[in-house]
Amino acid sequence: MAAAGGRFGASIRKSGYLQKWLLLGVTIGAVAGLGAVVFYLALRYTGEFLLGYLAGYHIPRPAGEGGGRGSAGFVRPWAIPLVTTGAALLSAFLVVKLAPEATGHGTDQAIEAVHTDPRAIRFRAVLVKLVASALTIGSGGSAGREGPTAQISAGFCSLLTRRLNLSDEDGRIAVALGIGAGIGAIFAAPLGGAVLAASITYRDDFDYRCLLPGFVTSGTAYAVLGAFLGFDPLFGYIDAEYRFERAWPLLWFVVIGAVAAAVGYLYARAFHASVRLTRRLPGGPVLKPAVGGLLVGLLGLVIPQVLGSGYGWAQLAADRGALMAIPLWIIIVLPVAKIVATSLSIGTGGSGGLFGPGIVIGAFVGAAVWRLGELWAMPGVPHQPGIFVVVGMMTCFGSVARAPLAIMIMVAEMTGSFSVVPGAILAVGVAALLMSRTNVTIYEAQRLDREAAEAARRVSGQA
């Protein structure tokens, strides 16, 4: 195997740009797609066993996963905190004993590898991350599935960089492509994944070198995932039709942009504060996530919408009938409650992503704006909440992840709602401009721009 890798690596290093990135892109994309399939199935069956079988509770599912409103109530409410605590304890134990670097959301570790050493991600961490995240999310922990898939794909690209002895520059591009392909695959959003690969590593810059190879990797990953799980968008095709006939109703999207930026800012600050606070609190790295799991389970008994990734609840928020059935106070409180639950699940040392909760938080920001506008019969509020919910998804996390264009494209692919773009660009633009006035980002491993990253590498002797 080493000899074969050496010969293939030599041929890759000698090949031209087109041949090199066509071969590497297809390879990275195929592994990213397979990794997304494996993690999706692990997460599905873990959730069915832990929450479904042991706790007797079923979380609503998005349309792309079969749909379903989930359980009407708790059959065994006492079992919810027991399941979230026990799974968090086991997940943390595996991480501490086998791969401590697999703690947290995973995307920062992958981004850091792009900027420092693209060979640094151990393959063991990939396997531990998969199992630990499945336990955390499947038990009801508030986390997303993109962080684990990003680390799985980035870990393979790190292995590829070592085995093929790629240059540092090619290795950095490969790991960035793995991040984008993995996230794009798990959300069935290939174009957004390609753009994400070029933008997620910087706060205020765009790495054009990743864009064209990203089309190959993300397209391949999407094809592999679809071959196993189907090609339907995650949220199906949300009814977000909205006729832009007059200019002044577009002001609603300015409102959504401002509110989403404030909530996104709170999300990042609260999450990073929870990480710092956890480090200072007494107790070991196994006990702290277990306590976080217990608190999430107790919070879930009051607000069930915080349990799990929450994609099914975001789906229901886009439907007028389903949204009107949710108490108004829950809709208003839910963005903050989801921030608290995610901080408790991941900020304490649990394993899972931040993208998914950010999408749900944004969905309920849009839902809250729509519900209040509809309650007060405000002019310009559409009959269906779909467009506000979809734009909220795009705006909240896109601004705080410092990747507004990529997230806007991804959510449009996830919801089949490209018709929202005229309103979305206003909301996303307002939120991104507001966030640019701060140094806040959900991904702390991001560098300011390519010049700053290159300067840091020169100082450390790694350029």
Side-chain angles (χ1 to χ4, degrees), residues 46-108:
T46 302
E48 289 179 355
F49 177 73
L50 294 176
L51 274 182
Y53 178 74
L54 295 182
Y57 181 71
H58 297 277
I59 294 176
R61 294 183 298 174
E65 297 176 2
R69 294 176 178 262
S71 301
F74 295 113
V75 176
R76 295 188 289 275
W78 53 267
I80 298 294
L82 292 180
V83 167
T84 56
T85 304
L89 184 69
L90 179 57
S91 172
F93 178 80
L94 291 174
V95 168
V96 170
K97 293 299 181 182
L98 299 177
E101 67 268 34
T103 189
H105 57 90
T107 308
D108 261 340

Side-chain angles (χ1 to χ4, degrees), residues 372-450:
L372 291 173
E374 198 274 342
L375 178 66
W376 295 329
M378 299 292 289
V381 176
H383 180 70
Q384 290 286 344
I387 187 169
F388 280 25
V389 169
V390 172
V391 172
M393 290 182 189
M394 296 174 172
T395 307
C396 185
F397 193 74
S399 62
V400 77
R402 298 302 187 101
L405 177 60
I407 304 302
M408 184 169 67
I409 295 172
M410 290 187 75
V411 173
E413 292 179 286
M414 291 158 62
T415 60
S417 302
F418 282 93
S419 62
V420 308
V421 167
I425 57 176
L426 264 179
V428 171
V430 167
L433 285 172
L434 290 173
M435 198 65 68
S436 70
R437 304 299 299 171
T438 75
N439 291 322
V440 172
T441 173
I442 199 73
Y443 298 126
E444 291 191 313
Q446 287 175 328
R447 303 301 193 260
L448 180 63
D449 52 30
R450 284 174 291 164

Side-chain angles (χ1 to χ4, degrees), residues 17 172-174 176-177 194 197-198 207-215 217:
Y17 178 87
R172 292 187 183 102
I173 295 174
L177 293 178
D207 193 347
Y208 63 90
R209 297 172 302 173
C210 296
L211 189 58
L212 294 181
F215 292 151
T217 56

Side-chain angles (χ1 to χ4, degrees), residues 7-27 213 216:
R7 289 193 297 270
F8 182 60
S11 66
I12 287 291
R13 292 192 297 274
K14 293 176 183 177
S15 61
Y17 178 87
L18 178 61
Q19 181 183 1
K20 174 171 63 178
W21 288 111
L22 186 61
L23 290 173
L24 287 177
V26 170
T27 304
V216 177

Side-chain angles (χ1 to χ4, degrees), residues 143-179:
R145 57 198 188 193
E146 85 295 332
T149 53
Q151 196 164 18
I152 289 169
S153 303
F156 170 75
C157 293
S158 186
L159 175 66
L160 202 66
T161 302
R162 294 194 299 270
R163 294 293 186 187
L164 302 184
N165 194 25
L166 299 179
S167 67
D168 285 352
E169 181 178 355
D170 286 345
R172 292 187 183 102
I173 295 174
V175 174
L177 293 178
I179 297 172

